[in-house]
Amino acid sequence: MAIAKAERLMNLALCLMNTRRPVSKRELRASIEAYHEVTSDDSFNRMFERDKDDLRELGLVIDTVENLDGEFGYLARRDRNRLPDIALDPEEAAALALAAKVWQQARLAEAASGALQKLRAAGVPYEDTHSALEPRIPTPEPAFEALMLATRERRAVAFDYRKANAVRPEPRQVEPWALECWRGHWYLAGYDRDRGAVRVFRLSRISGRVKARGAFTAEVPAHVDVRETVARWAGEGATTTATIRLRRDSGYPLRARAVATTPVDADWDELEVPYGHGLDAWLAEFGPDVVVMAPQELRTEVLDRLRAVAKG
């Protein structure tokens, strides 16, 4: 549905910009294929007014002109909708090129490639250089694209979410604020309508389809730091530590965070890791490769999570 609307808006913008005279709603309805499917005049008028408002919100300047018969026509003059020349120094162009290489998702990759081609055509000093190491941000979660669009368009969503210690998912209604990748996982920060508070959700725990639920009702903060929130829940900056045993040649993210590592035998190492809220969920992800030695409450929490997963 989002793709169909974007295509309709693009066609309307092209019609308004590629004419020398004002075009009436009647003519636009006959020219744009998407409007042919609307049989009711009232429905078409509402759709057209929404589309016109959306284009204006995106920055398109649309003039409204009344002819001698009292009929209104619409026109988007090219001289009023021309962007200024793009001026980027080599460092800025290199940063944009690097950002374009980050995305692996097909639709985003196509958009990024098109943007770079336009920059090159405009004379921006961009060079397509290749290096041995290139950044990649994978987006394997099915919910990613729907949440990205909802975040950009400021639309609330509903989805089923399974907490790490829960057997079954439960419905959530969220106003999505920001998406961020942290330690190889995507997280969403937003306002949870049912709980009336800010929450962070891991995308891999979202099941089923993400559904639209209207406009935002809560005020969006000027700055949303998803990574800081998730890191705090995962024990970053914690003042205490937990003792775990980790199977040899496994759990490298845990080893990277350990403040001390001691070999136990040929199969196990003992690690001291920062202990904070959310560490139990992270340790449970490593399954049989991790054994919690202390504190006892952390050991109990990890075992509860593993039992919940085993129950399905």
mmCIF file of all heavy atoms in Angstrom, residues 16 20 26 29 40 62 93 98 128 138 149 174 186 203 206 225 255-256 262 299 305 310:
data_model
loop_
_atom_site.group_PDB
_atom_site.id
_atom_site.type_symbol
_atom_site.label_atom_id
_atom_site.label_comp_id
_atom_site.label_asym_id
_atom_site.label_seq_id
_atom_site.Cartn_x
_atom_site.Cartn_y
_atom_site.Cartn_z
ATOM 1 N N LEU A 16 1.906 17.615 -12.688
ATOM 2 C CA LEU A 16 1.846 19.033 -12.332
ATOM 3 C C LEU A 16 3.078 19.801 -12.798
ATOM 4 O O LEU A 16 3.010 20.998 -13.068
ATOM 5 C CB LEU A 16 1.680 19.173 -10.816
ATOM 6 C CG LEU A 16 0.360 18.647 -10.222
ATOM 7 C CD1 LEU A 16 0.386 18.720 -8.709
ATOM 8 C CD2 LEU A 16 -0.828 19.438 -10.779
ATOM 9 N N ARG A 20 2.405 23.375 -19.034
ATOM 10 C CA ARG A 20 2.613 24.826 -19.079
ATOM 11 C C ARG A 20 1.384 25.589 -18.643
ATOM 12 O O ARG A 20 1.406 26.814 -18.556
ATOM 13 C CB ARG A 20 3.007 25.248 -20.498
ATOM 14 C CG ARG A 20 4.356 24.691 -20.916
ATOM 15 C CD ARG A 20 4.664 25.045 -22.362
ATOM 16 N NE ARG A 20 5.962 24.505 -22.724
ATOM 17 C CZ ARG A 20 6.974 25.218 -23.187
ATOM 18 N NH1 ARG A 20 6.831 26.522 -23.316
ATOM 19 N NH2 ARG A 20 8.108 24.641 -23.513
ATOM 20 N N ARG A 26 -10.345 17.197 -12.954
ATOM 21 C CA ARG A 26 -10.953 16.295 -13.930
ATOM 22 C C ARG A 26 -9.893 15.739 -14.876
ATOM 23 O O ARG A 26 -9.872 14.542 -15.179
ATOM 24 C CB ARG A 26 -12.035 17.048 -14.699
ATOM 25 C CG ARG A 26 -12.657 16.291 -15.855
ATOM 26 C CD ARG A 26 -13.765 17.117 -16.502
ATOM 27 N NE ARG A 26 -13.358 18.498 -16.711
ATOM 28 C CZ ARG A 26 -12.615 18.913 -17.727
ATOM 29 N NH1 ARG A 26 -12.180 18.024 -18.637
ATOM 30 N NH2 ARG A 26 -12.308 20.185 -17.866
ATOM 31 N N ARG A 29 -7.546 13.357 -12.999
ATOM 32 C CA ARG A 29 -8.190 12.069 -12.747
ATOM 33 C C ARG A 29 -8.149 11.183 -13.988
ATOM 34 O O ARG A 29 -7.977 9.959 -13.886
ATOM 35 C CB ARG A 29 -9.636 12.302 -12.306
ATOM 36 C CG ARG A 29 -10.365 11.040 -11.877
ATOM 37 C CD ARG A 29 -11.753 11.374 -11.382
ATOM 38 N NE ARG A 29 -12.442 10.203 -10.869
ATOM 39 C CZ ARG A 29 -13.662 10.210 -10.362
ATOM 40 N NH1 ARG A 29 -14.336 11.353 -10.291
ATOM 41 N NH2 ARG A 29 -14.222 9.094 -9.917
ATOM 42 N N SER A 40 -16.063 6.672 -6.885
ATOM 43 C CA SER A 40 -16.878 7.717 -6.261
ATOM 44 C C SER A 40 -16.196 9.074 -6.397
ATOM 45 O O SER A 40 -14.985 9.200 -6.165
ATOM 46 C CB SER A 40 -17.106 7.391 -4.784
ATOM 47 O OG SER A 40 -17.607 8.497 -4.081
ATOM 48 N N ILE A 62 2.825 24.085 -5.204
ATOM 49 C CA ILE A 62 1.721 23.898 -6.142
ATOM 50 C C ILE A 62 0.868 25.161 -6.158
ATOM 51 O O ILE A 62 0.352 25.590 -5.122
ATOM 52 C CB ILE A 62 0.860 22.685 -5.745
ATOM 53 C CG1 ILE A 62 1.720 21.409 -5.686
ATOM 54 C CG2 ILE A 62 -0.296 22.491 -6.725
ATOM 55 C CD1 ILE A 62 0.971 20.195 -5.178
ATOM 56 N N ALA A 93 31.445 14.033 0.174
ATOM 57 C CA ALA A 93 31.020 13.088 -0.860
ATOM 58 C C ALA A 93 31.440 11.669 -0.501
ATOM 59 O O ALA A 93 30.698 10.706 -0.716
ATOM 60 C CB ALA A 93 31.606 13.490 -2.210
ATOM 61 N N LEU A 98 30.161 6.143 1.391
ATOM 62 C CA LEU A 98 30.313 5.095 2.391
ATOM 63 C C LEU A 98 28.975 4.714 2.988
ATOM 64 O O LEU A 98 28.666 3.532 3.179
ATOM 65 C CB LEU A 98 31.264 5.573 3.500
ATOM 66 C CG LEU A 98 31.675 4.531 4.543
ATOM 67 C CD1 LEU A 98 32.456 3.409 3.891
ATOM 68 C CD2 LEU A 98 32.508 5.181 5.635
ATOM 69 N N ASP A 128 34.000 6.108 -6.905
ATOM 70 C CA ASP A 128 33.553 4.803 -6.441
ATOM 71 C C ASP A 128 34.762 3.935 -6.145
ATOM 72 O O ASP A 128 35.190 3.118 -6.949
ATOM 73 C CB ASP A 128 32.671 4.152 -7.508
ATOM 74 C CG ASP A 128 32.011 2.884 -6.996
ATOM 75 O OD1 ASP A 128 32.118 2.628 -5.786
ATOM 76 O OD2 ASP A 128 31.402 2.169 -7.810
ATOM 77 N N PRO A 138 23.169 -5.602 8.177
ATOM 78 C CA PRO A 138 22.129 -6.504 7.692
ATOM 79 C C PRO A 138 20.774 -6.156 8.286
ATOM 80 O O PRO A 138 20.679 -5.666 9.411
ATOM 81 C CB PRO A 138 22.612 -7.876 8.183
ATOM 82 C CG PRO A 138 23.438 -7.571 9.396
ATOM 83 C CD PRO A 138 24.097 -6.238 9.119
ATOM 84 N N LEU A 149 9.352 2.505 7.586
ATOM 85 C CA LEU A 149 8.399 3.396 6.938
ATOM 86 C C LEU A 149 7.497 4.072 7.965
ATOM 87 O O LEU A 149 7.207 5.269 7.855
ATOM 88 C CB LEU A 149 7.554 2.606 5.938
ATOM 89 C CG LEU A 149 8.292 2.065 4.702
ATOM 90 C CD1 LEU A 149 7.377 1.165 3.891
ATOM 91 C CD2 LEU A 149 8.825 3.200 3.849
ATOM 92 N N VAL A 174 2.428 0.527 19.442
ATOM 93 C CA VAL A 174 3.620 1.347 19.652
ATOM 94 C C VAL A 174 3.645 2.500 18.657
ATOM 95 O O VAL A 174 3.269 2.337 17.487
ATOM 96 C CB VAL A 174 4.903 0.500 19.500
ATOM 97 C CG1 VAL A 174 6.145 1.355 19.716
ATOM 98 C CG2 VAL A 174 4.888 -0.676 20.467
ATOM 99 N N TRP A 186 18.770 -5.418 15.593
ATOM 100 C CA TRP A 186 18.018 -4.179 15.408
ATOM 101 C C TRP A 186 17.036 -3.989 16.556
ATOM 102 O O TRP A 186 16.389 -4.940 17.005
ATOM 103 C CB TRP A 186 17.252 -4.204 14.083
ATOM 104 C CG TRP A 186 18.111 -3.823 12.927
ATOM 105 C CD1 TRP A 186 18.746 -4.658 12.064
ATOM 106 C CD2 TRP A 186 18.437 -2.494 12.510
ATOM 107 N NE1 TRP A 186 19.449 -3.942 11.132
ATOM 108 C CE2 TRP A 186 19.277 -2.606 11.379
ATOM 109 C CE3 TRP A 186 18.100 -1.220 12.977
ATOM 110 C CZ2 TRP A 186 19.781 -1.498 10.715
ATOM 111 C CZ3 TRP A 186 18.605 -0.115 12.310
ATOM 112 C CH2 TRP A 186 19.432 -0.250 11.198
ATOM 113 N N LEU A 203 13.744 -6.354 17.250
ATOM 114 C CA LEU A 203 12.956 -6.700 16.079
ATOM 115 C C LEU A 203 12.854 -8.207 15.868
ATOM 116 O O LEU A 203 11.856 -8.689 15.345
ATOM 117 C CB LEU A 203 13.546 -6.039 14.828
ATOM 118 C CG LEU A 203 12.934 -4.675 14.450
ATOM 119 C CD1 LEU A 203 13.138 -3.665 15.556
ATOM 120 C CD2 LEU A 203 13.513 -4.170 13.147
ATOM 121 N N ILE A 206 9.693 -9.804 17.201
ATOM 122 C CA ILE A 206 8.396 -9.430 16.643
ATOM 123 C C ILE A 206 7.942 -10.531 15.695
ATOM 124 O O ILE A 206 8.696 -10.963 14.830
ATOM 125 C CB ILE A 206 8.482 -8.087 15.896
ATOM 126 C CG1 ILE A 206 8.814 -6.960 16.882
ATOM 127 C CG2 ILE A 206 7.174 -7.782 15.186
ATOM 128 C CD1 ILE A 206 9.012 -5.618 16.217
ATOM 129 N N ASP A 225 17.963 8.154 21.787
ATOM 130 C CA ASP A 225 19.188 7.369 21.727
ATOM 131 C C ASP A 225 18.857 5.920 22.059
ATOM 132 O O ASP A 225 18.831 5.519 23.218
ATOM 133 C CB ASP A 225 20.228 7.916 22.715
ATOM 134 C CG ASP A 225 21.627 7.379 22.421
ATOM 135 O OD1 ASP A 225 21.718 6.254 21.911
ATOM 136 O OD2 ASP A 225 22.613 8.090 22.699
ATOM 137 N N ARG A 255 33.476 -12.433 25.481
ATOM 138 C CA ARG A 255 34.913 -12.325 25.761
ATOM 139 C C ARG A 255 35.401 -10.891 25.567
ATOM 140 O O ARG A 255 36.264 -10.411 26.314
ATOM 141 C CB ARG A 255 35.703 -13.280 24.862
ATOM 142 C CG ARG A 255 35.403 -14.744 25.110
ATOM 143 C CD ARG A 255 36.211 -15.671 24.203
ATOM 144 N NE ARG A 255 35.821 -17.056 24.397
ATOM 145 C CZ ARG A 255 36.299 -17.838 25.377
ATOM 146 N NH1 ARG A 255 37.204 -17.354 26.207
ATOM 147 N NH2 ARG A 255 35.876 -19.076 25.492
ATOM 148 N N ALA A 256 34.839 -10.215 24.568
ATOM 149 C CA ALA A 256 35.264 -8.835 24.313
ATOM 150 C C ALA A 256 34.886 -7.910 25.460
ATOM 151 O O ALA A 256 35.558 -6.900 25.703
ATOM 152 C CB ALA A 256 34.660 -8.339 23.003
ATOM 153 N N THR A 262 39.800 -16.424 33.003
ATOM 154 C CA THR A 262 40.684 -17.414 33.609
ATOM 155 C C THR A 262 40.382 -18.785 33.020
ATOM 156 O O THR A 262 39.224 -19.234 33.084
ATOM 157 C CB THR A 262 40.485 -17.470 35.135
ATOM 158 O OG1 THR A 262 40.673 -16.168 35.679
ATOM 159 C CG2 THR A 262 41.464 -18.446 35.767
ATOM 160 N N ARG A 299 21.672 -16.504 37.760
ATOM 161 C CA ARG A 299 21.594 -17.901 37.335
ATOM 162 C C ARG A 299 20.132 -18.336 37.214
ATOM 163 O O ARG A 299 19.740 -18.984 36.237
ATOM 164 C CB ARG A 299 22.335 -18.775 38.346
ATOM 165 C CG ARG A 299 22.315 -20.267 38.026
ATOM 166 C CD ARG A 299 23.045 -21.060 39.103
ATOM 167 N NE ARG A 299 22.952 -22.484 38.845
ATOM 168 C CZ ARG A 299 23.811 -23.176 38.096
ATOM 169 N NH1 ARG A 299 24.827 -22.538 37.525
ATOM 170 N NH2 ARG A 299 23.673 -24.464 37.925
ATOM 171 N N ARG A 305 14.577 -18.268 31.595
ATOM 172 C CA ARG A 305 14.466 -17.917 30.182
ATOM 173 C C ARG A 305 14.671 -19.154 29.299
ATOM 174 O O ARG A 305 13.934 -19.347 28.320
ATOM 175 C CB ARG A 305 15.473 -16.840 29.814
ATOM 176 C CG ARG A 305 15.148 -15.476 30.398
ATOM 177 C CD ARG A 305 16.175 -14.426 30.000
ATOM 178 N NE ARG A 305 15.830 -13.139 30.534
ATOM 179 C CZ ARG A 305 15.032 -12.281 29.942
ATOM 180 N NH1 ARG A 305 14.468 -12.585 28.784
ATOM 181 N NH2 ARG A 305 14.761 -11.096 30.494
ATOM 182 N N ALA A 310 12.391 -23.553 25.882
ATOM 183 C CA ALA A 310 12.231 -24.989 25.670
ATOM 184 C C ALA A 310 10.764 -25.396 25.594
ATOM 185 O O ALA A 310 10.389 -26.312 24.857
ATOM 186 C CB ALA A 310 12.917 -25.756 26.796
#
